[in-house]
Every structure is written in C-alpha cells, then in structure tokens.
C-alpha cells in the first residue's frame, strides 16, 4: 500500500477488511521516510521496534476478526517534546540529546491505546521555541512543498511528516501558534484545543499557562478523531479540565447553516500579504455561501498580543527551564570543577541561542524592579485580550482569520532578527493567551504554490463548532 | 538603550548562564530591540485590570463556587504512593550524567 493521502478511516477499514496489514503500512512508511526524509529532516528518532510490535498486535486482532479500535494501525508521528517511554526524547535540544524518558506522555498513551502505531519522534524548534524550525539543535526541517522554505514552527517536523506522507497524523504542541502556523505553511490541518482540554502530562514544559497538545492531520475529520482520543481529564495533570468530552466526529454532521462568524478587522491590517488576504477572503465568502452569517467583531487589543505573549511565555520558560541543571537527566559539561561552574557551563553548552535569549528576557521580566513593569503588566493585558474575545463571542459563534500573515518564508530569511520572527505569530498567539481553541485549514495557494491557512477560533471548550465549520469548508472547497 | 552589558551580566547570573563575550554583545542588541517593541504595552491604562495568571481562573470551573473550592476537582488525597508509583531508584538514576548507583554525583559543593 502506498502511503499517499491515507486517512484514519481508510487505514482502519483496509486493515479490518484485510486488504492491507498494519505491518505492511508501517513498513511502507519507513520506506518512504528512508527515501524522503534525508532532504526534509522531519524525524529525529525512529522507533521501529515499538511500531512493528504494535502493528503486529493490530494485525492479530484483524486476523481474529475482532472489531478494531478507532486508530487501529494508523502510522503517527509524535513531536519530540512528548515523552515516550524507552524512546529518546530531545525537545530539539542538545541538553536532552541522550534523554530516554522512563514514562509515556498521556496523549501518546491514549493514541497507542486506540491502536495507533508510533513511527517516531519529529523534529522541532528547541523546547518548542521558534516559528521556523531553524532552532532545532540537530537540523532544520525543510518544507516538503519547497525545500528552500521553512515548514513553520515549532511543530515543523510533525507538519512536514503529515504533508510528505511520512505519517498519516501527528501530534504537535502549541504555545503561541506552534501547531496552527506550521499546519498552514505545509498545507495540512492543525488543531489547538482549549487550554485544559488535553492532558499535558509528559509534555516537556515550555510555558505552562500556554502549552497545549493537539493534532496535525490531512482532514478535519481526522483531527476530530484524534481530539476525541486524547481529550479529557487526567488525574496526573491538575490543569486538565473536568469538562465532558463530546463525540467530535458525530458533531461534524450537524449543519452549519445559521452559525454566526465574526470577522475582526485587526486580523486584516497592515502586514498581511495580498495573496493570503485574497485566499482567506475567498474562503470566508465560501463559508458564507454555505449558510453562515458574517458579522464584524472588534478585538481592539490585538496589537498588544505579541509583546504580552513574549513576556509571559519567556517568564514561564525561564522558570521551567531551570530544571536543566546537568544533575539528573540533562547535559553536563565535561571537566567542571565546582557546582556553580557545572550549572553555568552545562546550560551554556546545552542551550541554543534562542533558548538563552528567551531565558534572559524572562528572567529580566521577573527580576526585582522590573516585575511590575513587565510581567504584571503583561498579565493585565492578557486579561484585556481575553475580554476582547469574551465580548466578541457574545455576538458570534466563531471568528475567522488568516493563520499567518504570509506563506512559508525562506530558510535564513528571519533567523538573524528575533523580532521579525516573533511577528510571524501575530495571528496565533492571542488564542493561546485567552485559552480558546483554534484550527488552521488549507484555503488555497500562492502563485508559487505555497499553501495558505484559514484560522477558525472558537469559544472555550467549543471545539465542536470550529471543527464543524472547518469540515463544511473542506468538503465544499 | 534600556539594557546595558552590565544588566546582561546580572541577569545571566540570575539565570545560571555564563554567555561568551560575543553572546553578551548580541544579547544587549536583541533584548533592547525586543523590549523596545514591548514598550507599546505602556500605551494601555491597566490600573483597574486584574492580572490573569491562568486560563483556568476563568474557564472550566464551577462558577457557583468561590476561591480554591472551584478547583476542588484538581486535588487529591496526600498519600505516600500518590497517583503513580515512584520510579525505582535504578530507573531514576539511568539518565544521570554521573551517579554512584545510589545517588546523583556532582562536583564538590563546599570548598575546604
């Protein structure tokens, strides 16, 4: 079986009907990775033994004629910030280059319990800090659509793996846009669930009040299936919410006619590329023609989202990354003579430039004399940004925007200008700050054949509505 | 310029980073550029706005309850084994850069 454009249901039913086997499918994916990934760089580690063992289990179930679980035999890629027991997990950092977790991330465990076959771990920006995947300590990822361009970040490897048929679905993480922006750059679907919807147990922490796990897939339905699999309260993650999980797949069948969609002018202002604007506006017209009503909404604090995000995310990161001390599991510099020298040199050599920059900014924002002016100020503006959405969602059911102001940029184009790189997240960070769900779906291409993404933002715990709108658009487009 | 090389040295010290001379020069430049952009937050009057530390302060909790009561679902009994068994010592030491089989080993802490 050729891995081109498979979906969860097509995989599961062809294994159930025995027109293929999970083993053959896993092998076909490894063959493809072998052939293609030298150029793309989506994977950091493959776990063939674990994958084939799981595939064999599924094939034996199929041979016995047992009903297969929802993700039976589906080859998946896991972003290398999610812990996998016995399989190296690096977070794209030299400081964890040899780290082998002794336990599984809850989301990964849910995927495997549902029958998924984990092929390997995907490349990402170091500790998920970046928008281009150029911050990986190991190698950059290249966009499968155009190898001179970035795949987006930080879940660039996951997006590229799905786009290049090196996995059917992938898990990524989103702290400021890290699922949706690479999905948009690579032409796949990327869903960031509501904060608290999916357990983060076993996710290597970047910014704890902003980190989310979610799927990257080829279809909206696949995103719904994966979300149904990984969502729900987890007793070992106290931030996971105790809110019932609907059947997201069944919800897709509900009509979208009569839904009210908000258009915020702040997301169509200066800096939005003309081709992106044109594609997104056409997509919005399409959704309107399907029976949705459009209404203008105002999100007036949007211009303050990037500064707010980069204070809060870096402050939290500076605290979370204090654990990389060279004592228990992270890199230790050789030949150190004192404890203090060990900490400093291990961190200096273990972390890359962007991670150090963010630790420095975050530490500065939290330091005596600057806490009120920076960190506290940002927390207050976070309230204002969240209120903007609350106000808007009194009038509309969802908000449609571009996912990113441009299509994929070239490798090296922004890597020497941190601020320019940060501005690539301008349409995605606010949803992370407010904790609302968002999805990016492909909505066309530029003249150079680069994918463009449409973003749909929803109310807290209302992934159903954004999935429904996305699904209707995907079917009609 | 908001940040000088002296500030960078001080903050690096707080963050347990050393930074090379070249890295310090870049850090001064980059942090000033980012903080210059961040300054636009001062355009907003936030004197009567509550800070938001967590999304779950506002969502996914029972609104009829107050304070810590709202997060009651997130608490558990304080029992020695907790929700997961502790890692066996051997497993916990496996990723350590240096250990003697019983403890993590680090360079001397106290100078004699």
């Amino acid at each position: 079986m050729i891995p081109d454009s498979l979906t969860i249901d097509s995989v599961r039913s062809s294994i159930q009907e025995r027109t293929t086997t999970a083993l053959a499918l896993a092998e076909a994916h490894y063959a493809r990775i072998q052939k293609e990934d030298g150029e793309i760089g989506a994977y950091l580690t493959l776990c063939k033994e674990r994958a084939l063992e799981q595939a064999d289990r599924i094939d034996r179930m199929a041979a016995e004629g047992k009903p297969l679980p929802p993700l039976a035999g589906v080859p998946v890629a896991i972003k290398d910030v999610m812990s996998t027991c016995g399989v190296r997990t690096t977070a794209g950092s030299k400081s964890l280059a040899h780290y082998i977790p002794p336990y599984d991330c809850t989301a990964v465990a849910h995927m495997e319990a549902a029958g998924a076959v984990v092929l390997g771990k995907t490349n990402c920006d170091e500790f998920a800090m970046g928008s281009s995947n150029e911050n990986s300590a190991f190698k950059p990822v290249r966009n499968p659509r155009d190898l001179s361009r970035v795949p987006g970040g930080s879940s660039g490897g996951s997006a590229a793996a799905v786009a290049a048929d090196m996995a059917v679905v992938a898990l990524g993480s989103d702290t400021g846009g890290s699922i949706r922006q690479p999905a948009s750059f690579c032409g796949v679907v990327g869903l960031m669930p509501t904060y608290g919807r999916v357990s983060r147990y076993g996710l290597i922490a970047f910014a704890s009040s902003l980190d989310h796990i979610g799927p990257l897939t080829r279809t909206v339905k696949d995103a719904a299936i994966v979300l149904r699999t990984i969502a729900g309260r987890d007793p070992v993650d106290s931030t996971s919410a105790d809110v019932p999980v609907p059947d997201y797949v069944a919800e897709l069948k509900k009509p979208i006619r009569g839904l009210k969609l908000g258009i915020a002018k702040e997301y169509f202002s200066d800096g939005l590329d003309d081709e992106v604007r044109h594609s997104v506006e056409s997509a919005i017209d399409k959704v309107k023609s399907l029976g949705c009503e459009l209404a203008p909404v105002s999100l007036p604090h949007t211009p303050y989202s990037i500064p707010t995000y980069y204070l809060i995310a870096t402050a939290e990161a500076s605290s979370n990354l204090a654990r990389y001390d060279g004592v228990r599991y992270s890199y230790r510099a050789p030949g150190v003579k004192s404890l203090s020298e060990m900490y400093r040199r291990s961190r200096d050599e273990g972390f890359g430039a962007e991670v150090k920059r963010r630790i420095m900014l975050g530490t500065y924002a939290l330091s005596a004399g600057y806490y009120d002016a920076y960190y506290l100020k940002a927390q207050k503006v976070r309230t204002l940004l969240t209120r903007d959405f609350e106000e808007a969602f009194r009038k509309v059911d969802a908000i449609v925007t571009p996912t990113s102001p441009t299509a994929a940029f070239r490798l090296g184009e922004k890597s020497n200008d941190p601020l320019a790189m940060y501005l690539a997240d301008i349409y995605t960070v606010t949803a992370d700050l407010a904790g609302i769900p968002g999805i990016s779906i492909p909505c066309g291409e530029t003249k150079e054949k680069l994918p463009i993404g449409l973003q749909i933002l929803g109310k807290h715990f209302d992934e159903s509505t954004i999935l429904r709108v996305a699904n209707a658009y995907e079917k009609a487009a | 310029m908001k940040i000088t090389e002296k500030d960078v040295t001080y903050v690096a010290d707080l963050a347990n980073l050393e930074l090379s001379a070249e890295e310090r020069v870049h850090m001064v430049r980059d942090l000033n550029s980012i903080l210059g952009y961040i300054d636009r937050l001062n355009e907003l009057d936030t004197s009567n706005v509550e800070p938001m530390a967590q999304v779950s302060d506002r969502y996914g909790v029972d609104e009829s309850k107050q304070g810590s009561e709202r997060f009651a679902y997130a608490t558990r009994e304080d029992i020695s084994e907790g929700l997961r068994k502790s890692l066996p010592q051997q497993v916990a030491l496996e990723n350590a850069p240096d250990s003697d089989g019983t403890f993590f080993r680090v360079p001397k802490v106290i100078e004699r």
Side-chain angles (χ1 to χ4, degrees):
Chain A
M1 194 179 221
I2 306 157
D4 284 0
S5 305
L6 298 171
T7 62
I8 293 173
D9 282 349
S10 74
V11 166
R12 185 172 163 278
S13 60
S14 44
I15 294 171
Q16 185 89 68
E17 289 155 16
R18 318 223 43 214
T19 54
T20 188
T21 63
L23 217 50
L25 209 51
E27 294 284 14
H29 276 81
Y30 281 124
R32 182 149 192 131
I33 292 165
Q34 177 78 32
K35 186 163 161 273
E36 305 283 340
D37 204 37
E39 276 191 325
I40 296 172
Y43 282 92
L44 289 176
T45 307
L46 299 174
C47 47
K48 206 165 174 181
E49 202 179 317
R50 176 170 171 152
L52 299 185
E53 208 174 283
Q54 169 87 338
D56 185 54
R57 193 174 309 135
I58 298 298
D59 286 337
R60 276 186 280 121
M61 285 176 80
E64 288 164 25
K66 288 183 183 159
L68 297 179
L71 291 166
V74 176
V76 306
I78 305 292
K79 184 180 183 181
D80 211 19
V81 287
M82 282 167 250
S83 304
T84 39
C85 188
V87 177
R88 184 175 82 131
T89 300
T90 68
S93 180
K94 183 183 172 188
S95 59
L96 291 175
H98 304 289
Y99 173 59
I100 298 180
Y103 65 98
D104 274 324
C105 176
T106 297
V108 176
H110 280 319
M111 293 292 280
E112 287 189 317
V117 174
V118 174
L119 298 174
K121 309 295 293 292
T122 47
N123 204 350
C124 54
D125 286 300
E126 185 176 7
F127 290 106
M129 297 179 186
S131 310
S132 70
N133 224 113
E134 291 165 292
N135 296 334
S136 163
F138 302 101
K139 56 188 174 185
V141 180
R142 288 170 183 276
N143 193 316
R145 292 287 193 102
D146 177 346
L147 295 174
S148 71
R149 301 202 180 246
V150 303
S154 63
S155 311
S158 287
V162 173
D165 294 315
M166 296 190 291
V168 174
V169 302
L171 291 185
S173 66
D174 194 314
T175 304
S178 285
I179 290 174
R180 292 160 289 153
Q181 185 253 23
S184 139
F185 279 15
C186 292
V188 300
V189 174
L191 171 67
M192 176 181 73
T194 307
Y195 184 81
R197 180 80 290 184
V198 175
S199 165
R200 285 106 44 90
Y201 182 73
L203 174 71
I204 293 174
F206 159 15
S208 304
S209 82
L210 299 161
D211 293 341
H212 309 68
I213 291 176
L216 293 106
T217 60
R218 289 192 198 116
T219 65
V220 174
K221 186 179 181 190
D222 278 0
I225 297 172
V226 174
L227 181 61
R228 189 175 63 181
T229 306
I230 60 177
R233 166 92 185 134
D234 179 7
V236 286
D237 174 4
S238 63
T239 62
S240 72
D242 194 16
V243 175
V245 179
D247 180 347
Y248 296 110
V249 182
E251 295 279 321
L252 294 180
K253 297 198 181 81
K254 290 189 184 162
I256 64 159
R257 185 163 289 280
L259 284 178
K260 258 193 170 173
L261 302 183
I263 314 289
K265 66 174 185 305
E266 293 84 357
Y267 283 69
F268 294 87
S269 58
D270 296 349
L272 176 60
D273 176 84
D274 281 341
E275 287 185 278
V276 174
R277 178 194 303 271
H278 182 255
S279 275
V280 169
E281 284 175 351
S282 308
I284 291 171
D285 285 343
K286 185 75 176 177
V287 182
K288 188 181 173 208
S289 76
L290 298 171
C292 290
E293 204 179 306
L294 304 180
V297 291
S298 176
L299 300 166
H301 295 96
T302 303
Y304 304 100
S305 61
I306 292 281
T308 304
Y309 173 79
Y310 278 95
L311 286 171
I312 290 174
T314 59
E316 293 185 18
S318 75
S319 165
N320 272 326
L321 270 60
R323 73 190 67 180
Y324 302 104
D325 54 8
V327 176
R328 292 154 302 160
Y329 44 78
S330 56
Y331 172 83
R332 181 186 297 187
V336 287
K337 305 235 160 29
S338 72
L339 190 69
S340 160
E341 188 194 355
M342 184 195 75
Y343 290 149
R344 280 150 201 277
R345 280 200 32 220
S346 299
R347 290 163 63 78
D348 249 28
E349 294 171 22
F351 294 147
E354 179 61 23
V355 171
K356 288 187 218 177
R357 201 178 288 128
R358 294 202 193 187
I359 290 174
M360 289 291 290
L361 179 59
T363 306
Y364 179 72
L366 290 174
S367 64
Y370 297 102
Y371 181 93
D372 284 5
Y374 290 114
Y375 184 61
L376 189 65
K377 181 81 183 180
Q379 284 189 315
K380 290 179 170 185
V381 181
R382 187 177 186 180
T383 302
L384 296 175
L385 286 159
T386 305
R387 280 189 200 157
D388 280 357
F389 279 120
E390 287 170 4
E391 201 61 47
F393 283 128
R394 277 194 200 103
K395 292 192 283 186
V396 297
D397 301 296
I399 296 169
V400 279
T401 81
T403 305
S404 173
T406 65
F409 45 89
R410 288 181 196 284
L411 271 88
E413 196 177 318
K414 298 180 198 263
S415 47
N416 290 320
D417 185 351
L419 188 56
M421 188 72 89
Y422 295 175
L423 291 169
D425 299 332
I426 194 147
Y427 300 142
T428 48
V429 293
T430 323
D432 293 87
L433 288 165
I436 59 171
I439 190 169
S440 176
I441 52 169
C443 72
E445 289 177 348
T446 64
K447 282 196 279 300
E448 294 178 276
K449 300 280 167 215
L450 299 171
I452 296 169
L454 173 74
Q455 177 173 242
I456 309 170
L457 303 172
K459 300 175 187 174
H460 288 96
F461 297 103
D462 187 21
E463 289 83 359
S464 296
T465 298
I466 60 173
L467 283 164
R468 249 161 82 199
V469 175
N471 186 56
Y473 172 75
E474 180 188 77
K475 292 269 181 301
Chain B
M1 295 277 275
K2 295 175 122 14
I3 293 212
T4 61
E5 196 156 340
K6 196 172 152 224
D7 297 322
V8 164
T9 304
Y10 170 70
V11 176
D13 196 52
L14 291 176
N16 266 321
L17 290 168
E18 192 86 40
L19 303 184
S20 67
E22 198 194 341
E23 279 179 312
R24 281 162 201 252
V25 173
H26 288 160
M27 203 63 85
V28 170
R29 183 197 65 195
D30 293 345
L31 293 183
N32 277 310
S33 148
I34 298 163
L35 287 168
Y37 184 73
I38 281 173
D39 264 352
R40 66 165 61 187
L41 292 183
N42 295 325
E43 295 165 9
L44 295 173
D45 178 7
T46 52
S47 43
N48 294 314
V49 181
E50 284 292 303
M52 175 174 165
Q54 276 291 341
V55 175
S56 43
D57 279 354
R58 302 171 79 91
Y59 304 97
V61 289
D62 185 344
E63 282 168 30
S64 66
K65 294 184 176 148
Q66 290 298 310
S68 61
E69 280 294 297
R70 300 164 81 204
F71 301 100
Y73 71 86
T75 65
R76 62 170 172 82
E77 290 298 304
D78 186 15
I79 49 176
S80 60
E81 279 290 353
L83 292 161
R84 299 269 160 107
K85 276 192 184 307
S86 298
L87 291 174
Q89 190 173 36
Q90 211 47 51
V91 176
L93 290 169
E94 250 160 30
N95 282 294
D98 192 11
S99 90
D100 66 359
T102 308
F103 295 104
F104 296 107
R105 196 152 48 190
V106 296
K108 229 195 280 183
V109 180
I110 301 164
E111 303 290 334
R112 275 172 197 261

